[in-house]
Amino acid sequence: MAAVEVARRRFTVEEFYQMARAGILGENDRVELIDGEIIEMVPIGTRHAACVRRMDRIFSTKIGNNALVDTQNPLRLDQNSEPQPDLMLLKPRDDYYASFHPRPEDVLLLVEVADTSVAYDREVKVNLYAKGGVNEVWLVNLQVQQVTAYRLPSPSGYREIKEYGRGDHISLLAFPGLYIPVQDIIPGD
């Protein structure tokens, strides 16, 4: 049987916000705009939430005022994509991005934490971040207790990919002298 092609209606970020203002999307709806499609986000489990909290504390303590730690807020990639990464380190701004959502050039590090959404985060979101030009992305895989660092973005994906286990230390491109033990990000169960 041949595959059936259907026409899809893709939305812009502005249309996405118009739907929210009109009440079509509610404040408590966990959705994000990915390549023009409204995607329902996976519920956040306790291990996922704890990991985000740990990283928030690690980065707030170790980086201080050198970056803004931003958790689960929008990133404007382009006119058709505005995902909500689990954590970002942003270039400091006096207005804390009150006049616009951060863009790829504002991101020092972007982190996605995955428990049940590993394949989606790796295949869809990481590639979207590469196309958008986000310089460094970490995918924290809670299932295998591993952090994958994606660096050097290009339109076809990241050119450098490295995996770090619980016994390793990981550094950030933006803060090369700072090494974080992976076990601090993903402690043993």
Side-chain angles (χ1 to χ4, degrees):
M1 184 183 292
V4 176
E5 287 286 323
V6 295
R8 292 183 183 210
R9 165 64 162 92
R10 298 203 185 276
F11 299 99
T12 67
V13 172
E14 182 53 39
E15 291 168 329
F16 183 65
Y17 280 100
Q18 286 174 355
M19 285 185 257
R21 287 190 295 271
I24 296 168
L25 298 174
E27 188 175 311
N28 294 325
D29 287 338
R30 288 196 28 85
V31 295
E32 58 188 352
L33 189 66
I34 304 293
D35 198 23
E37 294 188 44
I38 299 170
I39 306 295
E40 191 167 354
M41 297 166 64
V42 175
I44 296 174
T46 57
R47 289 178 2 132
H48 181 285
C51 183
V52 172
R53 288 185 196 108
R54 265 192 301 281
M55 286 188 301
D56 185 341
R57 183 169 197 146
I58 289 167
F59 291 128
S60 295
T61 302
K62 294 186 180 281
I63 294 176
N65 293 328
N66 295 312
L68 295 175
V69 179
D70 195 28
T71 57
Q72 299 170 335
N73 285 314
L75 170 66
R76 174 74 58 94
L77 287 177
D78 58 33
Q79 69 177 4
N80 295 310
S81 294
E82 195 173 273
Q84 295 180 30
D86 289 310
L87 185 138
M88 293 184 286
L89 296 181
L90 301 173
K91 293 176 183 175
R93 286 180 51 99
D94 290 339
D95 73 345
Y96 290 80
Y97 297 89
S99 55
F100 62 89
H101 286 307
R103 308 240 182 334
E105 60 269 18
D106 301 312
V107 179
L108 300 170
L109 173 68
L110 183 149
V111 181
E112 288 288 358
V113 176
D115 196 357
T116 59
S117 63
V118 175
Y120 177 76
D121 287 343
R122 183 178 42 240
E123 302 303 321
V124 176
K125 291 184 91 173
V126 168
N127 286 325
L128 189 71
Y129 298 140
K131 289 176 189 169
V134 176
N135 202 37
E136 182 171 14
V137 173
W138 292 0
L139 177 59
V140 179
N141 184 335
L142 296 176
Q143 292 178 0
V144 296
Q145 296 189 328
Q146 175 180 299
V147 177
T148 305
Y150 297 86
R151 299 175 177 130
L152 306 174
S154 75
S156 60
Y158 284 93
R159 294 186 303 250
E160 180 183 300
I161 302 169
K162 290 186 179 177
E163 295 179 344
Y164 298 86
R166 291 191 68 249
D168 298 325
H169 288 71
I170 187 169
S171 67
L172 296 73
L173 290 176
F175 302 98
L178 175 65
Y179 289 90
I180 299 169
V182 172
Q183 68 188 16
D184 289 357
I185 297 170
I186 313 170
D189 290 335

